[in-house]
């Protein structure tokens, strides 16, 4: 998902000789879609797995494999780059770097680079666990080089275990985390996301169209900026952001309980979940028969934000107001009634934004007035929401 962090950043991507080299094509594609500029360096061995032509076509830049046919590129490219990413990183290249060897385009360029270095090991599990590889990786850690750990799963050699290169998504997330400012370090943040389900009987429920994407984007951005994040999430198709503490809930009642339990421990609560406004007055313990139709009586659900706002030791509270039209006055009313610190208004009927979309168009309303923002990715929205919070910090619970 697009965010401004990688825009116009120059990334050196070093590809070494493992089967996972083909997965780095996806890394290049994603970097390009984030408007980063990517230059690929390849070891001789890696060109046996994927051709430089493929990386050249995808990156739109020349690929460098041989130090002697491109003299001094190993000095000029690292000088301009913002990050050095090695993916996949073979046991061989990790060992060479740990010993200071510089006999190819990758290892040589690395020595000329000053800045964040990340590497994604990929190898058979026994190799990954070998004491020599561990020792070499410790040396890289002491240099401040960040490992993007491999995942568990089926390995190309036919075995199963830890050794599979991290997904392109995790690699990009790690890179963003490294290049992003850490102005939320030390902050504890609680985010709610997704819809709730209010059961009519054991198989049927009332829910809403929330995808959880805005809440998950808030978590990713807060994590990157250094916060300690707990996510209370209703049922969504979104994978939980890496490193977040996840509490899964289903009903509005469960969400209220989870938020109440954790709200006093955090400095900031962001209520991005679409909590049911109405819940069935009663829930049948058996499946309701179709014959004869069904009349439902609904009652208003417990108001989570109001409950938290009334707490003695309460966090800074940011609410969301999703409306079907430019009903910004209603959002302003909610802000006053519920005692939030500010509210994020969005019109879910706006073309290209809202439910299930990666984009949103928000307005932030607080006691000082309304600030409108253009259509942005949900990660960009999360960035401005946290910027605004940091500006306001020092207020209630701050
Ligand atoms: C089919 C095949 C797959 C390989 N996969 C890996 C791998 O996943 N990880 C690894 O560390 N080495 C792997 N190797 C070994 C490396 O290619 C070898 O150590 C090579 O010298 C690495 O060179 P480089 O680090 O300069 O790219 C593989 C070799 C072959 C033939």
């Amino acid at each position: 998902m697009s965010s401004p962090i990688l825009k116009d950043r120059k990334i050196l991507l070093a590809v070494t000789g493992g089967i996972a080299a083909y997965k780095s094509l996806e890394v290049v594609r994603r970097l390009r879609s984030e408007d980063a500029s990517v230059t690929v360096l390849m070891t001789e061995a890696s060109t046996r797995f994927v051709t430089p032509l493929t990386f050249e076509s995808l990156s739109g830049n020349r690929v460098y494999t041989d130090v002697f046919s491109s003299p001094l590129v190993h000095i000029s490219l690292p000088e301009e780059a913002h990050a050095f990413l090695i993916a996949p990183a073979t046991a061989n290249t990790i060992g060479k770097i740990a010993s200071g060897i510089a006999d190819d385009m990758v290892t040589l360029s690395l020595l000329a680079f000053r800045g964040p270095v990340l590497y994604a090991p990929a190898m058979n599990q026994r190799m990954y666990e070998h004491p020599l590889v561990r020792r070499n990786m410790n040396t890289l850690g002491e240099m401040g080089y960040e490992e993007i750990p491999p995942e568990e799963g089926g390995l190309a050699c036919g075995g199963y275990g830890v050794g599979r290169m991290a997904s392109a998504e995790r690699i990009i997330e790690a890179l963003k985390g490294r290049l992003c400012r850490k102005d939320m370090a030390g902050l504890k943040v609680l985010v709610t996301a997704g819809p709730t389900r209010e059961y009519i009987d054991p198989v049927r429920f009332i829910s809403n169209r929330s995808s959880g994407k805005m809440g998950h984007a808030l978590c990713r951005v807060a994590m990157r900026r250094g916060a300690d994040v707990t996510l209370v999430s209703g049922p969504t198709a979104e994978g939980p952001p890496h490193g977040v503490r996840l509490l899964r809930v289903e009903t509005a009642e469960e969400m209220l309980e989870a938020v109440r339990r954790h709200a006093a421990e955090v400095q900031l609560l962001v209520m991005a979940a679409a909590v049911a406004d109405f819940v069935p007055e009663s829930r049948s313990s058996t499946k309701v028969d179709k014959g004869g139709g069904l009349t439902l009586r609904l009652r208003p659900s417990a108001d989570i934000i109001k409950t938290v706002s009334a707490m003695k030791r309460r966090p800074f509270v940011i609410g969301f107001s999703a409306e079907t039209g430019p009903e910004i006055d209603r959002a302003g009313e909610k802000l006053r009634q519920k005692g939030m610190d500010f509210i994020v208004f969005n019109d879910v009927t706006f073309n290209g934004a809202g439910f299930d979309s990666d984009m949103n168009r928000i307005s932030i309303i607080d006691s000082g007035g309304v600030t409108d923002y253009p259509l942005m990715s949900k990660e960009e929205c999360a960035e401005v929401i946290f910027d605004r919070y940091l500006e306001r910090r020092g207020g209630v619970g701050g």
Side-chain angles (χ1 to χ4, degrees):
M1 205 175 294
S2 182
S3 79
I5 301 167
L6 295 175
K7 190 169 168 15
D8 298 330
R9 298 292 187 116
K10 291 185 175 152
I11 311 296
L12 279 181
L13 171 63
V15 181
T16 68
I19 297 274
Y22 79 92
K23 291 191 187 169
S24 295
L25 297 169
E26 174 63 9
V27 174
V28 174
R29 200 191 60 73
R30 284 180 185 241
L31 286 170
R32 291 280 303 211
S33 73
E34 301 258 358
D35 292 327
S37 156
V38 195
T39 302
V40 178
L41 312 175
M42 297 180 76
T43 61
E44 186 64 36
S46 75
T47 64
R48 307 279 290 263
F49 293 88
V50 182
T51 66
L53 179 68
T54 316
F55 279 110
E56 205 151 292
S57 311
L58 280 181
S59 70
N61 281 322
R62 192 173 154 196
V63 171
Y64 297 94
T65 53
D66 176 30
V67 282
F68 297 103
S69 54
S70 317
L72 296 180
V73 156
H74 65 276
I75 303 293
S76 57
L77 281 178
E79 226 164 37
E80 293 172 358
H82 297 105
F84 198 113
L85 171 65
I86 311 168
T90 54
N92 178 59
T93 291
I94 290 171
K96 288 207 295 192
I97 294 170
S99 331
I101 292 172
D103 66 350
D104 61 26
M105 190 52 100
V106 170
T107 50
L108 194 57
S109 302
L110 184 69
L111 291 188
F113 178 71
R114 295 291 174 274
V117 176
L118 298 95
Y119 69 104
M123 62 197 76
N124 165 277
Q125 173 158 4
R126 286 201 306 282
M127 290 170 68
Y128 183 63
E129 285 170 352
H130 195 287
L132 284 170
V133 173
R134 309 310 301 180
R135 186 195 67 187
N136 292 334
M137 291 202 335
N138 282 341
T139 305
L140 266 55
E142 282 161 18
M143 300 298 305
Y145 296 177
E146 180 178 333
E147 183 198 2
I148 308 169
E151 292 167 359
E152 187 174 334
L155 303 171
C157 54
Y160 184 93
V162 176
R164 210 158 72 166
M165 187 169 87
S167 66
E169 192 180 341
R170 276 198 45 209
I171 290 173
I172 300 293
E173 192 52 45
L175 194 58
K176 284 181 180 174
R178 199 59 192 261
L179 291 175
C180 160
R181 59 195 190 279
K182 299 289 175 200
D183 53 0
M184 291 176 75
L187 268 177
K188 288 195 169 130
V189 181
L190 183 61
V191 176
T192 68
T196 61
R197 287 178 177 172
E198 309 307 330
Y199 281 88
I200 298 164
D201 66 21
V203 291
R204 304 185 184 95
F205 54 78
I206 302 172
S207 192
N208 59 64
R209 287 185 53 203
S210 168
S211 61
K213 285 187 174 188
M214 189 63 234
H216 282 71
L218 284 156
C219 288
R220 282 194 300 276
V221 169
M223 295 275 306
R224 267 179 222 152
R225 289 170 72 162
D228 174 352
V229 183
T230 302
L231 168 64
V232 179
S233 181
T236 73
E238 295 285 295
H242 187 69
V244 84
R245 190 177 313 111
L246 174 68
L247 306 170
R248 289 186 199 278
V249 296
E250 263 196 288
T251 65
E253 201 59 43
E254 288 168 8
M255 191 166 277
L256 171 66
E257 249 337 283
V259 171
R260 211 192 335 229
R261 251 199 331 272
H262 295 277
E265 304 159 7
V266 300
Q267 285 97 40
L268 172 62
L269 167 66
V270 193
M271 286 285 305
V275 184
D277 290 316
F278 302 103
V279 301
E281 272 192 354
S282 63
R283 170 179 172 169
S284 168
S285 58
T286 53
K287 188 178 170 193
V288 177
D289 191 51
K290 186 179 170 189
L294 176 67
T295 304
L296 281 179
R297 284 186 64 85
L298 304 175
R299 61 172 169 79
S301 61
D303 194 315
I304 303 179
I305 296 186
K306 237 175 167 170
T307 309
V308 173
S309 298
M311 282 168 53
K312 234 186 188 159
R313 233 181 79 79
R314 73 170 186 91
F316 189 102
V317 181
I318 302 174
F320 271 72
S321 179
E323 301 291 348
T324 49
E327 307 202 35
I328 204 152
D329 292 347
R330 195 143 88 185
E333 195 51 37
K334 277 188 194 167
L335 175 77
R336 281 181 289 280
Q337 276 176 6
K338 298 191 183 194
M340 288 177 257
D341 294 288
F342 67 74
I343 193 162
V344 181
F345 165 81
N346 64 315
D347 174 2
V348 292
T349 59
F350 185 80
N351 209 359
F355 293 130
D356 252 329
S357 166
D358 288 330
M359 307 295 284
N360 211 351
R361 202 179 69 150
I362 60 167
S363 302
I364 294 181
I365 310 167
D366 65 8
S367 49
V370 180
T371 316
D372 297 318
Y373 295 90
L375 186 67
M376 298 186 285
S377 73
K378 286 187 172 169
E379 287 199 357
E380 286 172 301
C381 292
E383 296 279 1
V384 301
I385 290 167
F386 291 130
D387 286 348
R388 189 62 174 266
Y389 161 70
L390 291 176
E391 272 166 39
R392 288 269 316 264
R393 207 156 56 138
V396 185

